[in-house]
Amino acid sequence: MSDLTLYPADIAAMSVGQLAALPPAQKAEISRNLDEALAWLKQARAKFDAALEAAYGEQARAARLEAGKDFGVVHLKDGLLRVTVDVPKRVSWDQAQLAAIARRIAAAGEKVEDYLDVEYSVSESRFSNWPPALRAGFDAARTVKPGKPTFRLALVSEE
């Protein structure tokens, strides 16, 4: 293990090349420390958000009710502090019901695309289990791109 501990400010000041050139033990230490810091920050954020909900939630719900809206932004005052509370609208659609509606639209002679956004997809597990002749018919419509790589570091003990 290295005697040199790098702190967040040190890491931020280093170039990607400098970080890449660090000894393996330091890379492992940095990775572990960053994971722990992220977990701590996530937990602290959740706790503080719960505190904000406890402090301002009821007042925000009352302000939203007074404004006649279930979602969106309301502004509150707490002394010199201006608190903006945003409750976004999250909409989800029942896929089976939309499929039935799409069939009725098509049966009525209308264009489904005039009413619904249609996106077709094939699960990768299903595609890879098809026979080659069936897959060949879909190949032109399929694009494969790499995702973002993830790295896990673990020091192995030298024997």
Side-chain angles (χ1 to χ4, degrees):
M1 205 51 131
S2 170
D3 292 340
L4 178 62
T5 297
L6 293 173
Y7 295 98
D10 301 322
I11 296 167
M14 295 174 74
S15 70
V16 170
Q18 289 171 317
L19 289 167
L22 290 173
Q26 274 190 305
K27 288 176 186 161
E29 180 185 7
I30 289 169
S31 183
R32 185 180 58 253
N33 290 345
L34 289 173
D35 287 343
E36 288 173 7
L38 284 171
W40 182 89
L41 284 171
K42 184 177 179 181
Q43 185 178 27
R45 179 84 252 178
K47 186 182 227 178
F48 188 63
D49 286 347
L52 292 174
E53 172 62 32
Y56 303 112
E58 192 55 46
Q59 190 179 350
R61 282 185 285 283
R64 204 170 283 104
L65 183 63
E66 185 179 315
K69 56 186 183 178
D70 296 325
F71 308 100
V73 175
V74 292
H75 302 283
L76 311 172
K77 293 272 294 170
D78 185 2
L80 296 176
L81 182 64
R82 180 179 186 194
V83 180
T84 300
V85 185
D86 185 6
V87 175
K89 184 188 298 187
R90 303 239 189 262
V91 177
S92 63
W93 294 90
D94 181 291
Q95 296 302 297
Q97 288 187 46
L98 284 181
I101 292 168
R103 287 190 293 275
R104 288 195 300 271
I105 291 170
E110 299 283 334
K111 287 177 53 181
V112 173
E113 294 81 5
D114 288 345
Y115 301 93
L116 301 172
D117 294 327
V118 179
E119 181 178 310
Y120 298 103
S121 67
V122 177
S123 79
E124 193 61 17
S125 61
R126 181 182 293 169
F127 178 82
S128 60
N129 286 318
W130 288 348
L134 180 57
R135 281 199 312 249
F138 284 78
D139 277 338
R142 182 173 178 258
T143 301
V144 179
K145 295 186 264 182
K148 184 179 179 191
T150 59
F151 297 88
R152 286 178 203 81
L153 304 180
L155 289 176
V156 291
S157 53
E158 296 180 34
E159 300 185 44

